[in-house]
Amino acid sequence: MVYSYDDTNIFARILRGEIPNKTVLETEHALAFHDIGPQAPVHVLVIPKGPYVNFDHFAAEASAEEIADFTRAAGEVCRIMGVGPGEGGQGYRAISNAGAHGVQEVPHYHLHILGGRVLGGMLKRAD
Ligand code: 5GP
């Protein structure tokens, strides 16, 4: 499988420090920051520092160390933001959009962590 990463995307620019962000957590292989257009009281994006287009790219080509670090970082964000049920929070949704049908806007893999309110049903059928 061939993935093509465009390093002019906005999250690549955030990682290079060209655009500011409101950082929640930074680890060796991941960065978490507040979404610029929050869809819920808690809306944090977790991104790997490596050049991965989407979840399946990351799953296929990231190292075990990157995957572990990213996953732990995402879990830590839930704790920091107070939404993790294991820490007494009320819960959250973790979403990753990919490609055209997933309606992915930014072509750098990211996990949305949403919470702080009841988020409603997951999806509505379009047909
Ligand atoms: P996608 O549709 O690709 O899953 O989500 C992209 C997300 O990135 C959107 O929720 C959008 O609000 C967010 N976003 C786009 N540009 C910026 C930016 O410059 N800074 C931050 N913090 N978030 C951004």
Side-chain angles (χ1 to χ4, degrees):
M1 189 61 70
V2 175
Y3 295 94
S4 173
Y5 181 80
D6 172 9
D7 71 2
T8 65
N9 78 76
I10 201 101
F11 294 168
R13 299 184 64 199
I14 285 175
L15 285 168
R16 289 196 295 268
E18 296 168 8
I19 295 174
N21 73 91
K22 291 187 181 169
T23 300
V24 173
L25 177 68
E26 181 167 8
T27 65
E28 185 177 357
H29 296 293
L31 179 69
F33 52 91
H34 292 280
D35 194 291
I36 203 168
Q39 302 295 315
V42 172
H43 190 171
V44 176
L45 301 172
V46 190
I47 69 174
K49 291 182 176 175
Y52 304 105
V53 175
N54 56 27
F55 169 72
D56 52 283
H57 186 194
F58 184 69
E61 296 189 3
S63 67
E65 188 184 339
E66 288 177 292
I67 292 170
D69 180 275
F70 177 88
T71 304
R72 297 268 192 218
E76 179 70 1
V77 165
C78 296
R79 191 192 65 75
I80 292 169
M81 300 308 296
V83 296
E87 304 279 343
Q90 295 297 304
Y92 60 90
R93 184 167 295 154
I95 301 172
S96 185
N97 300 316
H101 283 192
V103 195
Q104 180 179 8
E105 180 189 329
V106 180
H108 180 113
Y109 173 44
H110 51 283
L111 195 62
H112 297 256
I113 305 287
L114 295 143
R117 66 170 169 82
V118 176
L119 296 164
M122 188 171 74
L123 285 175
K124 289 194 169 55
R125 288 181 66 100
D127 54 342

